[in-house]
Amino acid sequence: SSYKEKHIKPKRSNTGELELFKEIWNERPHISEISGKSIHIFDINCFHHILTKGAYPEHRLNKDNIIILTRAEHNDVHQYSMNDLVNKHPMWLELTKRYDKIKFKK
């Protein structure tokens, strides 16, 4: 097979996330909801599902379950435990509050 065939990414199915991220971007200030740092360009890596898509698929398109944060903060969320994040900086307590609010909402 040709080089071109091997390096074409498979087309992802349309989950509705991109459209939802664009709506959130248009509705909310372009700042991290964790640190308050400015975010200057739309980037899907600046959106984070508080309750994971895998464990809580019913919350995948729930705007309340998605926060805007910087790319670096998003990477940290996936690399460190919540305890480590909170120990690193108390701003991460906001994420734990939002997690509990969504998860235990009646």
Side-chain angles (χ1 to χ4, degrees):
S1 68
S2 73
Y3 171 85
K4 202 172 196 177
E5 288 171 2
K6 288 181 187 170
H7 291 85
I8 293 174
K9 287 184 180 176
K11 188 167 170 43
R12 288 183 163 176
S13 62
N14 183 2
T15 62
E17 279 183 23
L18 181 60
E19 292 78 13
L20 186 69
F21 293 165
K22 287 178 181 176
E23 281 180 34
I24 291 170
W25 182 254
N26 289 327
E27 294 169 357
R28 298 183 194 171
H30 301 163
I31 59 168
S32 165
E33 295 176 52
I34 296 299
S35 66
K37 290 180 181 173
S38 291
I39 300 168
H40 301 287
I41 58 166
F42 176 86
D43 178 351
I44 61 168
N45 294 299
C46 291
F47 295 86
H48 174 67
H49 289 83
I50 299 168
L51 301 179
T52 66
K53 297 179 284 190
Y56 303 92
E58 68 276 16
H59 286 288
R60 179 180 209 133
L61 300 178
N62 173 0
K63 284 184 185 177
D64 292 335
N65 186 44
I66 298 169
I67 61 169
I68 297 175
L69 35 67
T70 68
R71 277 184 89 125
E73 291 164 354
H74 196 190
N75 288 336
D76 284 351
V77 166
H78 290 287
Q79 287 189 337
Y80 300 101
S81 71
M82 192 49 64
N83 280 345
D84 288 345
L85 288 170
V86 171
N87 287 335
K88 192 174 174 181
H89 198 287
M91 69 182 182
W92 290 102
L93 283 170
E94 178 61 24
L95 188 59
T96 63
K97 289 178 197 167
R98 295 197 42 190
Y99 178 94
D100 289 344
K101 184 178 177 184
I102 298 163
K103 186 171 181 180
F104 302 111
K105 192 177 194 178
K106 302 237 166 143

